[in-house]
């Protein structure tokens, strides 16, 4: 829990510094949305975030939520991905590297632990670019969807 509190304090300070430096308002909505984002463990959708705020009786318009997410992405507190036509988001302050596999049938995303891949990417020297961290997606079909596909194929072959 201490790590979570340290992260929350750090991201709030980053937001405060950004708002001060850019002469923007420090609204309760921005900080409530930031807190809600950093309470998620992993990915979330726009609707997940809206529902989380509603559950806390914190009401914000969709426009405010959308604009705030864009602000957080601009200052790198949140990253957004387009996956299979859906936009998903994730808190990005941790600076951790991620390797994920994504099923193109059901959309399930799972974390992959591959020290070999991580080492290759970390050691890569990129021309005129300093990398901070990375997220690698490996697309394919999960074992559950593959089994369903095989059963459907076998069922159709029997007829």
């Amino acid at each position: 829990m201490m790590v979570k509190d340290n992260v929350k304090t750090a991201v709030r300070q980053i937001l405060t510094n950004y708002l001060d430096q850019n002469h923007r308002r420090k609204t309760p909505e921005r900080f409530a949305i930031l807190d809600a984002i950093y309470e998620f463990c992993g990915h979330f959708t726009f609707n997940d975030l809206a529902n989380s705020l509603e559950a806390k009786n914190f009401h914000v318009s969709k426009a405010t939520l959308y604009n705030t997410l864009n602000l957080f992405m601009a200052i790198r507190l949140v990253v957004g991905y387009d996956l299979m036509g859906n936009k998903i988001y994730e808190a990005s302050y941790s600076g951790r590297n991620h390797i994920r596999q994504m099923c193109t049938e059901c959309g399930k995303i799972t974390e992959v632990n591959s020290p070999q891949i991580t080492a290759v990417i970390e050691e890569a020297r990129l021309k005129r670019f300093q990398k901070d961290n990375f997220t690698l997606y490996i697309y394919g079909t999960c074992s559950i969807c593959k089994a369903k596909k095989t059963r459907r194929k076998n069922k159709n072959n029997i007829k």
Side-chain angles (χ1 to χ4, degrees):
M1 192 60 149
M2 183 66 154
V3 170
K4 200 102 160 138
D5 290 340
N6 290 342
V7 168
K8 186 176 179 180
T9 301
V11 295
R12 284 176 144 260
Q13 190 59 55
I14 291 168
L15 178 58
T16 299
N17 292 345
Y18 175 84
L19 296 173
D20 285 342
Q21 290 170 4
N22 291 279
H23 309 292
R24 297 187 66 180
R25 294 182 309 132
K26 294 179 209 152
T27 64
E29 289 83 3
R30 287 178 173 154
F31 288 95
I33 293 167
L34 185 67
D35 290 344
I37 288 169
Y38 276 83
E39 288 171 7
F40 282 103
C41 295
H43 300 103
F44 61 91
T45 64
F46 182 91
N47 288 334
D48 293 336
L49 182 56
N51 293 338
S52 172
L53 291 164
E54 286 291 322
K56 296 174 185 172
N57 279 330
F58 198 92
H59 307 285
V60 295
S61 71
K62 287 185 179 192
T64 297
L65 195 53
Y66 178 78
N67 291 331
T68 303
L69 273 170
N70 284 334
L71 168 69
F72 293 167
M73 286 190 294
I75 59 177
R76 297 177 56 187
L77 293 175
V78 172
V79 291
Y81 308 98
D82 275 320
L83 298 174
M84 293 178 54
N86 296 314
K87 185 83 170 188
I88 61 170
Y89 302 91
E90 181 178 27
S92 64
Y93 177 73
S94 72
R96 288 182 42 231
N97 296 322
H98 296 280
I99 302 171
R100 298 188 172 121
Q101 56 191 23
M102 181 180 168
C103 178
T104 55
E105 298 285 322
C106 68
K108 182 180 177 184
I109 301 169
T110 52
E111 198 80 20
V112 174
N113 181 20
S114 178
Q116 302 90 343
I117 294 173
T118 301
V120 167
I121 294 172
E122 285 177 347
E123 292 171 11
R125 301 288 175 244
L126 303 173
K127 189 174 184 175
R128 303 173 86 187
F129 187 81
Q130 178 184 342
K131 62 185 172 291
D132 298 323
N133 53 42
F134 68 86
T135 301
L136 171 67
Y137 280 91
I138 302 168
Y139 298 93
T141 307
C142 71
S143 59
I144 293 170
C145 290
K146 181 138 177 72
K148 286 179 185 176
K149 223 182 219 182
T150 302
R151 282 194 300 273
R152 278 195 306 268
K153 185 179 176 184
N154 290 340
K155 186 177 178 181
N156 289 338
N157 288 339
I158 294 173
K159 290 181 179 180

